[in-house]
Amino acid sequence: MNLTYYGHSCFGVEVNGKHLLFDPFITGNSLAKNIEIEKIQADYILISHAHGDHVGEVDVIANRTKAKIISNYEITSYYDKKGLSGHGMNFGGSWQFDFGKVTYVVALHSSHFPDGTYGGNPGGFIVESKEGNFYFAGDTALTMDMKLIGVRYKLDFALLPIGSNFTMDYFDAATCAEFIQCNKVIGMHFDTFPPIKIDHEKATEEFERNGIELLLMKIGETIAM
Ligand code: NI
Ligand code: MN
């Protein structure tokens, strides 16, 4: 699996030869100004919820790549009306795709599109594949529901929000890593806006105290997982 960071909560994951793109938001992120949107590959676009900082580039990338949108039913219906194909899901449900199995799981947050359209319940994704398993949490608070993920899945890594104000902070995210029993975390949803700027060293130390590795990827960086 290859993991590429496009800033904020946007990641590309190459798994079993398919390109998964999570929560595309690039032009609205001044830190991601060097990312060339027209070069981003996508067979699937996974959307955690409908807020502008997670759906910014869905239309432009889905129109170019013909990627299939995977999200909650309300979000895929919204894009269906724009002529973009999707696979709608809801909490607790799983579907076997050609790259692996996806489960849509609970996130404690809110969800509406920038135009005011209701965006269903916000969620996260568990991806299980021959190349490994991971959790993309979306925007969420720390919740006891995360303990169920630790009971049900064997995760190789997790993408967790750490920036506070709109989501859990890195203290809660370190507790989340314990709940989900995962010792490798990639941070997201930090530094993009003034209210979510964090001290990288302190965040890394907080995870280390719990024996968990925190990776803060550079925007544009690709790593093998
Ligand atoms: Ni949000
Ligand atoms: Mn957000």
Coordinates of all heavy atoms in Angstrom, one line a residue, residues 11-70:
F11 N -6.1 12.2 1.5 CA -5.1 11.2 1.3 C -5.4 10.3 0.1 O -6.6 10.1 -0.2 CB -5.0 10.2 2.5 CG -4.5 10.8 3.7 CD1 -5.3 11.5 4.6 CD2 -3.1 10.7 4.1 CE1 -4.8 12.0 5.8 CE2 -2.6 11.3 5.2 CZ -3.5 11.9 6.1
G12 N -4.4 9.9 -0.6 CA -4.5 8.9 -1.7 C -3.9 7.6 -1.1 O -2.9 7.7 -0.5
V13 N -4.7 6.5 -1.3 CA -4.1 5.2 -0.9 C -4.2 4.3 -2.1 O -5.3 4.1 -2.7 CB -5.0 4.6 0.3 CG1 -4.3 3.3 0.8 CG2 -5.1 5.6 1.4
E14 N -3.1 3.7 -2.5 CA -3.0 2.8 -3.6 C -3.1 1.4 -2.9 O -2.2 1.0 -2.2 CB -1.7 3.0 -4.4 CG -1.8 2.4 -5.7 CD -0.5 2.5 -6.5 OE1 0.3 3.4 -6.2 OE2 -0.3 1.7 -7.4
V15 N -4.1 0.7 -3.2 CA -4.3 -0.6 -2.6 C -4.8 -1.6 -3.7 O -5.8 -1.3 -4.4 CB -5.2 -0.6 -1.4 CG1 -6.5 0.2 -1.6 CG2 -5.6 -1.9 -0.8
N16 N -4.1 -2.7 -3.8 CA -4.4 -3.8 -4.8 C -4.6 -3.1 -6.2 O -5.5 -3.5 -6.9 CB -5.7 -4.6 -4.4 CG -5.4 -5.5 -3.2 OD1 -4.4 -6.1 -3.1 ND2 -6.3 -5.5 -2.3
G17 N -3.7 -2.2 -6.5 CA -3.7 -1.6 -7.9 C -4.7 -0.6 -8.1 O -4.8 0.0 -9.2
K18 N -5.6 -0.3 -7.1 CA -6.6 0.8 -7.3 C -6.2 2.0 -6.4 O -5.6 1.9 -5.4 CB -8.0 0.2 -6.8 CG -8.5 -1.0 -7.5 CD -8.9 -0.6 -8.9 CE -9.2 -1.9 -9.7 NZ -9.5 -1.6 -11.1
H19 N -6.7 3.2 -7.0 CA -6.4 4.4 -6.3 C -7.6 4.9 -5.5 O -8.7 5.2 -6.1 CB -6.0 5.5 -7.3 CG -4.6 5.2 -7.8 ND1 -4.4 4.5 -9.0 CD2 -3.4 5.5 -7.4 CE1 -3.1 4.4 -9.3 NE2 -2.5 5.0 -8.3
L20 N -7.5 4.9 -4.2 CA -8.6 5.5 -3.3 C -8.2 6.9 -2.9 O -7.0 7.1 -2.6 CB -8.7 4.6 -2.1 CG -9.5 3.3 -2.1 CD1 -9.0 2.4 -3.2 CD2 -9.4 2.6 -0.8
L21 N -9.1 7.8 -3.0 CA -8.9 9.2 -2.6 C -9.9 9.6 -1.5 O -11.1 9.4 -1.7 CB -9.0 10.1 -3.8 CG -8.7 11.6 -3.6 CD1 -7.3 11.8 -3.3 CD2 -9.1 12.4 -4.8
F22 N -9.4 10.0 -0.4 CA -10.2 10.4 0.7 C -10.3 11.9 0.9 O -9.3 12.6 0.8 CB -9.6 9.8 2.1 CG -9.7 8.3 2.2 CD1 -8.7 7.5 1.6 CD2 -10.7 7.7 2.9 CE1 -8.8 6.1 1.7 CE2 -10.8 6.4 3.0 CZ -9.8 5.6 2.4
D23 N -11.6 12.4 1.0 CA -11.9 13.8 1.4 C -11.1 14.8 0.7 O -10.3 15.6 1.3 CB -11.7 13.9 2.9 CG -12.8 13.3 3.7 OD1 -13.7 12.7 3.1 OD2 -12.8 13.4 5.0
P24 N -11.2 14.9 -0.7 CA -10.4 15.8 -1.5 C -10.8 17.3 -1.2 O -11.9 17.7 -1.4 CB -10.8 15.5 -2.9 CG -12.0 14.8 -2.9 CD -12.1 14.1 -1.5
F25 N -9.8 18.0 -0.7 CA -9.9 19.5 -0.4 C -8.5 20.1 -0.6 O -7.6 19.9 0.2 CB -10.4 19.7 1.1 CG -10.3 21.1 1.6 CD1 -11.1 22.1 1.1 CD2 -9.4 21.4 2.5 CE1 -11.1 23.4 1.5 CE2 -9.3 22.8 3.0 CZ -10.1 23.7 2.5
I26 N -8.3 20.8 -1.7 CA -7.0 21.2 -2.1 C -6.9 22.7 -2.4 O -6.1 23.4 -1.7 CB -6.4 20.4 -3.2 CG1 -6.2 19.0 -2.7 CG2 -5.1 21.0 -3.7 CD1 -6.5 17.9 -3.7
T27 N -7.8 23.2 -3.3 CA -7.7 24.7 -3.6 C -8.0 25.6 -2.4 O -7.4 26.7 -2.3 CB -8.6 25.1 -4.8 OG1 -9.9 24.6 -4.6 CG2 -8.1 24.5 -6.1
G28 N -8.8 25.1 -1.5 CA -9.1 25.9 -0.3 C -8.1 25.9 0.7 O -8.2 26.5 1.8
N29 N -7.0 25.1 0.5 CA -6.0 24.9 1.5 C -4.7 25.5 1.0 O -4.0 25.0 0.1 CB -5.8 23.4 1.8 CG -4.7 23.1 2.8 OD1 -4.1 24.0 3.3 ND2 -4.4 21.8 3.0
S30 N -4.3 26.7 1.6 CA -3.1 27.4 1.1 C -1.9 26.6 1.3 O -0.9 26.8 0.6 CB -3.0 28.8 1.9 OG -2.9 28.5 3.3
L31 N -1.9 25.6 2.3 CA -0.7 24.8 2.5 C -0.5 23.8 1.4 O 0.6 23.2 1.3 CB -0.8 24.1 3.8 CG -1.0 24.9 5.1 CD1 -1.2 24.0 6.3 CD2 0.2 25.9 5.3
A32 N -1.5 23.6 0.6 CA -1.5 22.5 -0.5 C -1.3 23.1 -1.9 O -1.7 22.5 -2.9 CB -2.7 21.6 -0.4
K33 N -0.8 24.4 -1.9 CA -0.8 25.1 -3.2 C 0.1 24.5 -4.3 O -0.1 24.7 -5.4 CB -0.4 26.6 -3.0 CG 0.9 26.8 -2.4 CD 1.1 28.3 -2.2 CE 2.5 28.7 -1.6 NZ 2.7 28.1 -0.3
N34 N 1.0 23.6 -3.8 CA 1.9 22.9 -4.8 C 1.3 21.6 -5.4 O 1.9 21.0 -6.2 CB 3.3 22.7 -4.2 CG 4.0 24.0 -3.9 OD1 3.9 24.9 -4.7 ND2 4.8 24.0 -2.9
I35 N 0.2 21.2 -4.8 CA -0.4 20.0 -5.3 C -1.1 20.2 -6.7 O -1.9 21.2 -6.8 CB -1.5 19.4 -4.3 CG1 -0.8 19.1 -3.0 CG2 -2.3 18.2 -4.9 CD1 0.2 18.0 -3.0
E36 N -0.8 19.4 -7.7 CA -1.4 19.5 -9.0 C -2.6 18.6 -9.0 O -2.5 17.4 -9.2 CB -0.4 19.2 -10.1 CG 0.8 20.1 -10.1 CD 1.9 19.7 -11.0 OE1 2.7 18.9 -10.6 OE2 1.9 20.1 -12.2
I37 N -3.8 19.2 -8.9 CA -5.0 18.5 -8.8 C -5.2 17.6 -10.1 O -5.7 16.5 -9.9 CB -6.2 19.5 -8.7 CG1 -6.1 20.2 -7.3 CG2 -7.6 18.7 -8.7 CD1 -6.9 21.4 -7.2
E38 N -4.8 18.1 -11.2 CA -5.1 17.4 -12.5 C -4.2 16.1 -12.6 O -4.5 15.2 -13.4 CB -4.9 18.2 -13.7 CG -3.5 18.9 -13.9 CD -3.3 20.1 -12.9 OE1 -4.2 20.5 -12.2 OE2 -2.2 20.6 -13.0
K39 N -3.3 15.9 -11.6 CA -2.4 14.7 -11.7 C -2.9 13.7 -10.6 O -2.3 12.6 -10.6 CB -1.0 15.1 -11.4 CG -0.3 15.8 -12.6 CD 1.2 15.9 -12.4 CE 1.8 16.6 -13.6 NZ 3.1 17.1 -13.4
I40 N -3.9 14.1 -9.8 CA -4.3 13.1 -8.8 C -5.1 12.0 -9.4 O -6.1 12.3 -10.1 CB -5.1 13.8 -7.7 CG1 -4.3 14.9 -6.9 CG2 -5.8 12.9 -6.7 CD1 -5.0 15.7 -5.9
Q41 N -4.7 10.8 -9.1 CA -5.4 9.6 -9.6 C -6.5 9.1 -8.7 O -6.3 9.2 -7.5 CB -4.5 8.4 -9.9 CG -3.5 8.7 -11.0 CD -2.5 7.6 -11.1 OE1 -1.5 7.5 -10.3 NE2 -2.7 6.6 -12.0
A42 N -7.6 8.7 -9.2 CA -8.7 8.2 -8.4 C -9.6 7.2 -9.1 O -10.1 7.5 -10.2 CB -9.6 9.3 -7.8
D43 N -9.7 6.0 -8.6 CA -10.7 5.0 -9.0 C -11.9 5.1 -8.1 O -13.1 4.8 -8.6 CB -10.2 3.6 -9.0 CG -9.0 3.4 -9.9 OD1 -9.1 3.6 -11.1 OD2 -7.9 3.1 -9.4
Y44 N -11.7 5.5 -6.9 CA -12.8 5.7 -5.9 C -12.5 6.9 -5.1 O -11.4 7.2 -4.7 CB -12.8 4.5 -4.9 CG -13.2 3.2 -5.6 CD1 -12.1 2.4 -6.1 CD2 -14.5 2.8 -5.8 CE1 -12.4 1.2 -6.7 CE2 -14.8 1.6 -6.4 CZ -13.7 0.8 -6.9 OH -14.0 -0.4 -7.5
I45 N -13.6 7.7 -4.8 CA -13.4 8.8 -3.9 C -14.3 8.5 -2.6 O -15.5 8.3 -2.8 CB -13.9 10.1 -4.5 CG1 -13.0 10.4 -5.8 CG2 -13.8 11.3 -3.5 CD1 -13.4 11.7 -6.6
L46 N -13.6 8.4 -1.5 CA -14.4 8.1 -0.2 C -14.5 9.4 0.5 O -13.6 10.2 0.8 CB -13.6 7.1 0.6 CG -13.5 5.7 0.0 CD1 -12.3 5.5 -1.0 CD2 -13.5 4.6 1.1
I47 N -15.8 9.7 0.9 CA -16.1 11.0 1.5 C -16.7 10.7 2.9 O -17.7 10.1 3.0 CB -17.2 11.8 0.7 CG1 -16.7 12.0 -0.8 CG2 -17.4 13.2 1.3 CD1 -17.7 12.6 -1.7
S48 N -16.1 11.3 3.9 CA -16.5 11.0 5.3 C -17.8 11.8 5.7 O -18.6 11.3 6.4 CB -15.4 11.3 6.3 OG -15.1 12.7 6.3
H49 N -17.8 13.0 5.2 CA -19.0 13.9 5.5 C -19.0 15.0 4.5 O -18.1 15.2 3.7 CB -19.1 14.3 6.9 CG -18.0 15.2 7.4 ND1 -16.6 14.8 7.4 CD2 -18.0 16.5 7.8 CE1 -15.9 15.8 7.8 NE2 -16.7 16.9 8.1
A50 N -20.1 15.9 4.5 CA -20.3 16.8 3.5 C -19.7 18.2 3.6 O -19.8 19.1 2.8 CB -21.8 17.0 3.2
H51 N -18.9 18.5 4.7 CA -18.4 19.8 5.0 C -17.4 20.2 3.8 O -16.7 19.3 3.3 CB -17.7 19.9 6.3 CG -18.6 19.9 7.5 ND1 -18.3 19.5 8.7 CD2 -19.9 20.3 7.5 CE1 -19.3 19.7 9.5 NE2 -20.4 20.1 8.8
G52 N -17.4 21.5 3.6 CA -16.6 22.0 2.5 C -15.1 21.6 2.5 O -14.5 21.4 1.4
D53 N -14.5 21.5 3.7 CA -13.1 21.1 3.8 C -12.9 19.6 3.6 O -11.8 19.1 3.9 CB -12.5 21.6 5.1 CG -13.2 21.0 6.3 OD1 -14.4 20.9 6.3 OD2 -12.5 20.7 7.3
H54 N -13.9 18.9 3.1 CA -13.8 17.4 2.8 C -14.3 17.1 1.4 O -14.1 16.0 0.9 CB -14.5 16.6 3.9 CG -13.9 16.8 5.2 ND1 -13.0 16.0 5.8 CD2 -14.0 17.9 6.1 CE1 -12.6 16.5 6.9 NE2 -13.2 17.6 7.1
V55 N -15.1 18.0 0.8 CA -15.7 17.8 -0.5 C -15.2 18.8 -1.6 O -15.7 18.7 -2.7 CB -17.2 17.7 -0.5 CG1 -17.7 16.6 0.5 CG2 -17.8 19.1 -0.1
G56 N -14.3 19.7 -1.3 CA -13.9 20.8 -2.2 C -13.7 20.4 -3.6 O -14.2 21.0 -4.5
E57 N -12.9 19.3 -3.8 CA -12.5 18.9 -5.2 C -13.2 17.6 -5.7 O -12.7 17.0 -6.6 CB -11.0 18.7 -5.3 CG -10.3 20.0 -5.8 CD -10.3 21.1 -4.8 OE1 -10.1 20.9 -3.6 OE2 -10.6 22.3 -5.2
V58 N -14.3 17.2 -5.0 CA -14.9 16.0 -5.4 C -15.4 16.1 -6.9 O -15.1 15.2 -7.7 CB -16.1 15.6 -4.5 CG1 -17.0 14.5 -5.1 CG2 -15.7 15.3 -3.1
D59 N -16.1 17.2 -7.2 CA -16.7 17.3 -8.6 C -15.6 17.3 -9.7 O -15.7 16.5 -10.6 CB -17.5 18.6 -8.7 CG -18.7 18.7 -7.8 OD1 -18.4 18.9 -6.6 OD2 -19.8 18.6 -8.3
V60 N -14.6 18.1 -9.5 CA -13.6 18.3 -10.5 C -12.8 16.9 -10.7 O -12.5 16.5 -11.9 CB -12.7 19.5 -10.3 CG1 -11.9 19.3 -9.0 CG2 -11.8 19.7 -11.4
I61 N -12.5 16.3 -9.6 CA -11.7 15.0 -9.8 C -12.6 13.9 -10.3 O -12.2 13.1 -11.1 CB -11.0 14.7 -8.5 CG1 -9.9 15.8 -8.1 CG2 -10.3 13.3 -8.5 CD1 -9.3 15.6 -6.8
A62 N -13.8 13.8 -9.8 CA -14.7 12.7 -10.2 C -15.1 12.9 -11.7 O -15.2 11.9 -12.4 CB -16.0 12.7 -9.3
N63 N -15.3 14.1 -12.1 CA -15.6 14.3 -13.5 C -14.5 13.9 -14.4 O -14.7 13.3 -15.5 CB -15.9 15.8 -13.8 CG -17.4 16.1 -13.5 OD1 -18.3 15.4 -14.0 ND2 -17.7 17.1 -12.8
R64 N -13.2 14.2 -14.0 CA -12.1 13.8 -14.9 C -11.8 12.3 -14.8 O -11.5 11.7 -15.9 CB -10.8 14.6 -14.4 CG -9.5 14.2 -15.1 CD -8.4 15.1 -14.7 NE -8.1 15.2 -13.3 CZ -7.5 14.2 -12.6 NH1 -7.0 13.1 -13.2 NH2 -7.3 14.4 -11.3
T65 N -11.8 11.8 -13.6 CA -11.3 10.4 -13.5 C -12.5 9.3 -13.6 O -12.2 8.2 -13.8 CB -10.7 10.2 -12.1 OG1 -11.7 10.4 -11.1 CG2 -9.5 11.1 -11.8
K66 N -13.7 9.8 -13.5 CA -14.9 8.9 -13.5 C -14.8 8.0 -12.3 O -15.4 6.8 -12.3 CB -15.0 8.0 -14.8 CG -15.0 8.8 -16.1 CD -16.2 9.7 -16.2 CE -16.1 10.7 -17.4 NZ -16.6 12.1 -17.1
A67 N -14.2 8.5 -11.2 CA -14.1 7.7 -10.0 C -15.5 7.5 -9.4 O -16.4 8.3 -9.5 CB -13.2 8.4 -9.0
K68 N -15.7 6.3 -8.7 CA -16.9 6.0 -8.1 C -16.9 6.6 -6.7 O -15.8 6.5 -6.0 CB -17.1 4.5 -8.0 CG -18.5 4.1 -7.4 CD -18.7 2.6 -7.4 CE -19.2 2.0 -8.7 NZ -20.6 1.9 -8.8
I69 N -17.9 7.3 -6.2 CA -18.0 7.9 -4.9 C -18.5 6.9 -3.9 O -19.5 6.3 -4.1 CB -18.8 9.2 -5.0 CG1 -18.1 10.3 -5.8 CG2 -19.1 9.7 -3.5 CD1 -19.0 11.4 -6.2
I70 N -17.8 6.8 -2.8 CA -18.2 5.9 -1.7 C -18.5 6.8 -0.5 O -17.6 7.5 0.0 CB -17.2 4.8 -1.3 CG1 -16.8 4.0 -2.5 CG2 -17.7 3.9 -0.2 CD1 -15.7 3.0 -2.3

